[in-house]
Amino acid sequence: MRNLRFRSAATAATTALVAALALTACGQSDAVGAASKPDTTTASTSTPKDEATEKPQDSTGENAQTASNNSSSGKGSSSNKGADKPSDKSNARTTCTGDNTKVTVTNVTRPINHLLVTATNTGSKNCDAYYAPLLGFDEAQAVTQINEDSKPQAVVTLSPGQSAYASIALGGGDGSPTTAAYKLSVSFSGRDNQGSVGSVANLTLPKGTKTNNDTSVSYWQATMADALTW
């Protein structure tokens, strides 16, 4: 009877020990499983946007590539505003007339029976003295004849302040002037040589001036010496 109680007690102790070991093993297994189980709580979070892949922007809000293209093409740049060349006023020119010149007539000692007509540019532009001055003595109905041999190689161009010259051969040829003259009108030819242009200069002739039917005038010349050779 006592042996039965001892065996029962031993059996109960053995059962308790086995249960304890089982519980211990279970706890360790759960701990190991908990430690090895991956944490999936962050797997569903979204990846933040990679801002480094966006195009950089300049201070005006345009992307840098657009700004670069605009700069290379000249758009929006003020540096091209002055690209046009300024006009060259030194080349501006017009026709010499009584409106932009001062005209005078004077006696000369050599050659004899000659007068000198001078036209000085009083304007602000270069002017061209075309052909010969158109002269009218007193109440003459026709202009004085022109000495065609005196035609220069080029049109005489006057800068402001410069003068052109023409000589009047009063006697013409070998003749002597015999008709008294008092007034002289001087007109200017246009480029097309189809009559006078601009206003007329009305002058008083030097005292004692005389003309005849052969009186002639030279073309406009660039120098006084050239004019007085005719």
Side-chain angles (χ1 to χ4, degrees):
M1 192 68 175
R2 191 168 62 184
N3 289 338
L4 180 61
R5 286 197 297 269
F6 177 80
R7 289 176 180 176
S8 297
T11 301
T14 301
T15 302
L17 177 61
V18 171
L21 292 174
L23 289 173
T24 301
C26 183
Q28 290 177 348
S29 175
D30 289 344
V32 172
S36 62
K37 187 178 182 180
D39 185 4
T40 60
T41 56
T42 60
S44 62
T45 58
S46 60
T47 302
K49 191 175 182 180
D50 187 359
E51 295 182 357
T53 62
E54 293 185 337
K55 293 181 180 180
Q57 294 188 349
D58 60 14
S59 60
T60 62
E62 297 179 351
N63 63 60
Q65 183 63 38
T66 302
S68 176
N69 290 341
N70 287 345
S71 175
S72 63
S73 63
K75 292 181 180 179
S77 173
S78 61
S79 62
N80 292 333
K81 292 183 179 180
D84 293 339
K85 293 182 179 181
S87 58
D88 187 356
K89 294 184 178 180
S90 64
N91 290 331
R93 58 204 301 164
T94 186
T95 300
C96 297
T97 69
D99 301 307
N100 55 19
T101 62
K102 179 182 180 180
V103 184
T104 60
V105 57
T106 55
N107 264 323
V108 293
T109 56
R110 290 285 185 277
I112 62 171
N113 297 326
H114 276 66
L115 299 176
L116 181 69
V117 179
T118 304
T120 303
N121 184 357
T122 58
S124 58
K125 299 178 181 180
N126 293 349
C127 74
D128 294 322
Y130 292 107
Y131 305 102
L134 305 177
L135 305 183
F137 287 93
D138 293 331
E139 303 301 326
Q141 298 300 310
V143 297
T144 302
Q145 61 185 332
I146 297 171
N147 183 347
E148 293 295 337
D149 292 337
S150 65
K151 186 175 181 178
Q153 293 183 347
V155 174
V156 178
T157 299
L158 306 179
S159 299
Q162 287 188 326
S163 299
Y165 306 90
S167 64
I168 303 173
L170 296 171
D174 295 329
S176 297
T178 57
T179 304
Y182 305 94
K183 301 290 183 181
L184 179 69
S185 64
V186 181
S187 300
F188 291 79
S189 297
R191 183 175 183 177
D192 58 4
N193 198 24
Q194 299 297 312
S196 63
V197 294
S199 62
V200 179
N202 293 302
L203 309 174
T204 298
L205 288 165
K207 187 176 181 179
T209 298
K210 294 182 179 180
T211 65
N212 66 16
N213 292 334
D214 293 328
T215 297
S216 64
V217 62
S218 73
Y219 275 72
W220 290 113
Q221 308 291 330
T223 68
M224 185 186 303
D226 289 342
L228 293 176
T229 60
W230 307 103

